Amino acid sequence: MDDLLFRSLESGATAVTQSHRQARSLQLGYARRMVEGGHAAWPAPDIVTWDSWTRRCWSVWQDSRVARGQQRVAVLLSAAQETRLWEAVVRDSVLAQGLMQVTPTAAAAAVAWKLSWEWKIPVPSVSGAAGEDVRAFAAWAAEFDARCRSEGWQDRARLPDVLAAASEGGIPFAQELVLFGFDELTPQQCALLGILERSGTVLRQCGPLPLAGTATRRVFPDSAAEIAAAASWARDALEAGATGIGIVIPDLATRRSQVIRIFDDVLLPAVVLDGSATARPYNLSLGLPLAEYPAIITALRILALGAGDMACGEMGSLLRSSFIGGSDEEQVSRAMIDVACRAGDPLVDAAEIIRIAQGAAGGAGQQSCRAPELAARLKALQLLWRQLPARQAPSAWAEVFAQTLAAAGWPGDRPLDSAEYQQSEAWRELLGEFSSLDRVAGSVDYPEALQVLRRMASERIFQPQSAQAPIQVMGLLEAAGLTFDRLWVLGLHDAVWPQSPQPSPFIDPQLQRRHRLPHSSAAREHEFAQHRTAALLAAAWEVVASSPLRQGEEDLRPSPLIAHLPLVDAGSADPQSRLARRVHEQRPALEDLVDERAPAVSGENTVPLGTGVFRDQAACPFRAFARARLGARALASPGVGPDAADRGILLHEALRLLWTGLGSHSALVGLTREALVAAADDAGSRAIGRIAAGRPRTFPAGFQQLERERLCRLVLAWLDQETARLPFVVISPEQQQTAIFGGVRVRIVPDRVDRIEGGGQVVIDYKTGDPSLGDWFGERPDDPQLPIYALAQDDVAALAFARVRVDGCGFEGIGRLEGIAPGIGTVAQTGAAKEFGSWGELLAGWRAALDALGRSFRDGAAQVAPKNGSRTCEYCDLGPLCRIADDGLPDDGDAGGQP
């Protein structure tokens, strides 16, 4: 801080800055000067942003009118009120019918309105506007102005003009005014400041003193390497005793999570390793929308329960949240309720959660789902919601929202940490802002009120306050007017710097260029970037400007604005992060233990396993161990509407019902076409009815009719294939059996078993996908289900996939004789089975492979050995448990060996 600015503040001058960060920097600089001067306490300096200062001037003017016995001129609208007013203006206009999104359109119109007043561009009349978008804005602007005038509202865009008129009328807003860190002043600002100066205000403009330091340039392979290098550089500077370290990242908003991860890894590996609560030595200037913080996410989800159904995944997050009363005591049971919810419809409501929490879910997990406090809180919420009026003012809804959260026990029973406490306080402030919408919003219903509140939470950027950190990470705009000991500016490649022009769609482009509006042209962007770059290069004693060479598949070049800087070798990147090094440094204290064998299964399993245990043992022994013995499963994530698995289940059920009624080939061919259509339609209808009864949201009435028609067409197409077969009798439509392989008892539920004319059984498995006979063969078969089914039957003549698909139906299988059905060949005719000389050898080969898999499972073989490398692991949900990715996935085709 220079001496003149310090003395001005000390004598009572008002300093006005562009941003809150600049104001904070000046306050810290002033405090430092006072401490250096030996002061233990001092009056706070008057340092405010431009927006805060103009609002304060408005209050001074209004208070002076009241003091003189005059009425207040108007009511100054808040940012939230203005936003909702613009949305109402756009939504109520005749032009809204052609808009897909009202909210962003209204936001763009508000920006255009503000720019028009800041840069003294007259808003055209509707008849005089050029272009459809400009005409639309002219109509909206006229309506916005009319509503403000009729209601006595003052918008913030015209506030400086109103203050200028008041100042000419003799209202003294400031005796001495110091403008700090302004890159440029708008014509509107210049007009107000000029009038103040002519009225006797002492006006000065200053900025940070340029530092005659050194500036160099570096390049890196990609942005991740660039961020890591900047973090390491900041760490070295911190260890060398530097305190004012700046990291500027143009696209910080999109890279925020990546920056935090890399900076934590480099600067605080202990935080990543053991979750310690060490304070970070860096501060990110860019906060997140309030709606993205955990406590607020929970609050919004609690309120959403009052509006109706909720997706299972979202409900699960709500149930497991620690920001609801009783979460610690009922943590396990609420997690089990989450699991129970995912087994049904994709949408659930509060009534369903109450039913499960009271132990009405049924099944073995019923007791573990009991959560009496959760049920009681949800019942209290239901009682509250039933008493709500259909429509009321936002302030009344704000009270309802507060009551709802209190009934839910938000923000939880445990003590909040500093960040969580600030989130809860920010939420209460948000409800206060929401209450102020009575003036502009009128009466609304619950869903609309919640939608507006959620939008306000998304629009409000929140950054929890923390202790001053020596490393400041910020965007380009936040760095304006600041100085540092050392500064690194990242991401200055030619695709983003200078930025591409982004003119307002609602102001005539020629007028924007003529008045030199921000972002109006490439020349304007180049001039701004040139000025900003020069300021950054003079903002520290040591400045590094860098850029990546690639972004995805795109080659990049350094921005031409930094190409003149001397290029410094960036050095070779350390392939190992500080976290990885710390882990390896601790390895001498650890004992490596290779544990690939679980305890053997003693005795014969009394509860039969599914045939999937053999498929899993063949694919990867650890998968079979984890699923069959540990019960490890990923949580289900039901989507909205039926998926491919649901449609497959419907088809299986329809065909089971059909053949239970028909029973034989002769009955099939004896039906007329009309009777056949009726039978297929009836089977499809009953299948849908049975499954939809337990999942009404997945299978609404309209879908049931469409699915019934689809099933009927598919079943009829399949029956054409059945008609062409040799005569048969259906002896087992999905009847359960058991079989033993290698000492492992498995449950057998074939889709169908037929007895063919002349003797022998045909085992049939319906498939709606694209199966392959090759999956039946090898020491580790990919899909041994049908061979297991076949070996469990007496006198098996054939086994086959029944491919039932819209794009074609047919059999594909192997039989001991020719002509059993089209698509079923003999061993000699099937390429995948040619290593076997006969049907008996084929069955014996399958028996040997399955017995070997069964024995390895019983003996406890549980090594992580995916059969086909990354292809086996691609859709496996056990990655976090086996952690194979920690050592790198094996290449495709790498066999893990016989389990």
Side-chain angles (χ1 to χ4, degrees), residues 297-298 301 305 309-321 334-335 337-349 353 635-640:
I297 291 173
T298 297
R301 283 175 174 161
L305 272 179
D309 297 341
M310 181 179 289
C312 277
E314 195 174 357
M315 179 66 80
S317 297
L318 177 59
L319 290 169
R320 290 179 280 107
S321 172
R334 293 183 186 186
I337 295 172
D338 178 20
V339 175
C341 285
R342 294 169 185 264
D345 269 323
L347 298 175
V348 292
D349 57 15
I353 300 302
L635 283 177
S637 299
V640 177

Side-chain angles (χ1 to χ4, degrees), residues 123-147:
V123 177
S125 63
V126 176
S127 60
E132 184 178 355
D133 289 341
V134 179
R135 281 195 297 274
F137 171 65
W140 295 331
E143 177 62 20
F144 179 85
D145 179 60
R147 294 193 187 188

